[in-house]
Amino acid sequence: MTSPLTLAEQLKKEHESLSPAERRVSRVLIADYPVAGLEPVHRLAERANVSAPTVLRLISKLGIGSYPQMQKLLRQEISVRTSSPLEMYGERSASTTPGTQSGIKFVADSKRVLAEGLDATFNAIPETEIIEIAKLIANPRNRIWTVGGRFSDLLAQYLTLHLRLLRKDVNHVDPTEQEKAFTLLDFTSRDVLIAFDYRRYQGGTVSFLKNAKNKKATTVLFTDPWLSPAAKHADYLLSSSVTSPSPFDSLTSGFALVETVIAGVVEELGDSPTQRIQAFDALQEKTLQIPGFGPGDEAETT
């Protein structure tokens, strides 16, 4: 059974159907998630520059019975948001028997859990958000930078390798504080920073996005359903399920989102990258050619 959407995911999904005033409330909630939603209703209304009844109408539109009920849901999310692999390992151990005597049940469970994660991810994201990000990346006037964390840097590097084949001015930032500082020195309004930050969020990534925004860069954040604190510094936001058959958060849905963005960039660029890819292949062929085994070389006989 697919996990219910978080409040942030519901807000993103329903964005187009909201009134302008309700969108202001939604933006405030997402920008300081989940803290803003734990404040009194009048305080949230003040931050969004709307009336308290507008906040309550938004909550009702999301199918939540009352403001206190919304806050209860947010507190439950916070508990899940701060779960560690050790805690999740304990929950798993309490409900399973060690070993694989039960046959291939764990394979079937994995297939189900990961498929549900993909469904939940794409059901919660407005297609327009992915399209806008693809257009942003495809724009040749923009310089693209990617950065990740301990595990999510795999996503950043994967995206970087593909984008470098499609266009120039794509750079991966090594996730050390020194490299981030060097990169920030040259950031301008033509730079786009794409960051990946998931549960057990990294303060360095949050600070990097904040400082990039201060340098007028455009920021894109890939994160989980509970939203990294970096969300308040992101111009574009894509969240994905991290539900996993193991005690460790899954990046499967994150990879799927990256693949989808890459497909969008390809769609936006059309055939223009073909010469670049051909040139890259030619350079690779020259680099990898082994003397005596190139075209026209004959094998030695004895």
Side-chain angles (χ1 to χ4, degrees), residues 47-67:
R47 290 179 62 169
N49 195 26
V50 301
S51 66
T54 298
V55 175
L56 298 179
R57 280 197 300 272
L58 171 62
I59 300 307
S60 177
K61 186 174 287 188
L62 297 177
I64 301 173
S66 66
Y67 196 76

Side-chain angles (χ1 to χ4, degrees), residues 214-248:
N214 290 338
K215 298 279 283 187
K216 310 302 182 185
T218 301
T219 52
V220 179
L221 177 66
F222 287 73
T223 187
D224 56 44
W226 308 282
L227 305 190
S228 159
K232 67 177 66 177
H233 311 299
D235 296 303
Y236 299 89
L237 182 66
L238 292 178
S239 62
S240 59
S241 169
V242 293
T243 304
S244 167
S246 78
F248 307 101

Side-chain angles (χ1 to χ4, degrees), residues 145-148 171-187 192-197 202-215 217-219 230 233:
W145 304 81
T146 69
V147 69
N171 309 275
H172 174 257
V173 183
D174 191 275
T176 64
E177 297 313 305
Q178 177 176 279
E179 286 304 311
K180 291 173 185 173
F182 276 128
T183 302
L184 284 167
L185 287 175
D186 301 318
F187 264 7
V192 176
L193 173 61
I194 305 172
F196 297 82
D197 194 33
Q202 297 188 235
T205 303
V206 178
S207 297
F208 193 27
L209 257 75
K210 179 181 179 180
N211 291 328
K213 282 300 300 175
N214 290 338
K215 298 279 283 187
T218 301
T219 52
H233 311 299

Side-chain angles (χ1 to χ4, degrees), residues 20-220:
E22 290 167 345
R23 289 182 185 182
R24 289 202 295 272
V25 179
S26 176
R27 282 194 290 268
V28 169
L29 283 168
I30 290 176
D32 196 9
Y33 195 82
V35 176
L38 296 175
E39 296 179 335
V41 64
H42 73 272
R43 175 60 184 144
L44 175 58
E46 288 175 359
R47 290 179 62 169
N49 195 26
V50 301
S51 66
T54 298
V55 175
L56 298 179
R57 280 197 300 272
L58 171 62
I59 300 307
S60 177
K61 186 174 287 188
L62 297 177
I64 301 173
S66 66
Y67 196 76
Q69 184 180 347
M70 181 200 75
Q71 293 185 318
K72 180 180 179 181
L73 292 173
L74 285 176
R75 292 189 182 95
Q76 291 172 347
E77 286 186 23
I78 291 173
S79 177
V80 178
R81 188 189 202 205
T82 56
S83 296
S84 70
L86 184 59
E87 291 171 321
M88 296 169 72
Y89 209 105
E91 293 174 4
R92 173 184 177 276
S93 299
S95 60
T96 59
T97 302
T100 58
Q101 293 88 345
S102 58
I104 58 172
K105 183 178 181 298
F106 74 95
V107 177
D109 287 345
S110 180
K111 179 181 177 180
R112 174 184 53 79
V113 168
L114 295 177
E116 288 177 354
L118 286 170
D119 285 340
T121 295
F122 284 97
N123 287 338
I125 296 177
E127 292 181 3
T128 53
E129 190 85 350
I130 299 177
I131 293 170
E132 289 176 8
I133 292 171
K135 288 182 177 180
L136 183 73
I137 294 173
N139 188 334
R141 293 190 296 273
N142 296 331
R143 290 189 303 185
I144 310 299
W145 304 81
T146 69
V147 69
R150 181 183 176 191
F151 289 103
S152 60
D153 200 50
L154 293 169
L155 292 168
Q157 293 189 51
Y158 186 78
L159 177 60
T160 302
L161 289 171
H162 285 79
L163 294 183
R164 280 180 171 170
L165 283 171
L166 298 172
R167 52 156 295 168
K168 63 179 182 179
D169 288 335
V170 177
N171 309 275
H172 174 257
V173 183
D174 191 275
T176 64
E177 297 313 305
Q178 177 176 279
E179 286 304 311
K180 291 173 185 173
F182 276 128
T183 302
L184 284 167
L185 287 175
D186 301 318
F187 264 7
T188 68
S189 59
R190 65 181 288 253
D191 291 295
V192 176
L193 173 61
I194 305 172
F196 297 82
D197 194 33
Y198 296 84
R199 188 160 54 177
R200 307 196 82 184
Y201 314 106
Q202 297 188 235
T205 303
V206 178
S207 297
F208 193 27
L209 257 75
K210 179 181 179 180
N211 291 328
K213 282 300 300 175
N214 290 338
K215 298 279 283 187
K216 310 302 182 185
T218 301
T219 52
V220 179

Side-chain angles (χ1 to χ4, degrees), residues 280-293:
F280 176 80
D281 286 345
L283 289 171
Q284 281 283 91
E285 186 176 334
K286 289 181 181 179
T287 303
L288 298 176
Q289 192 174 86
I290 301 174
F293 289 90

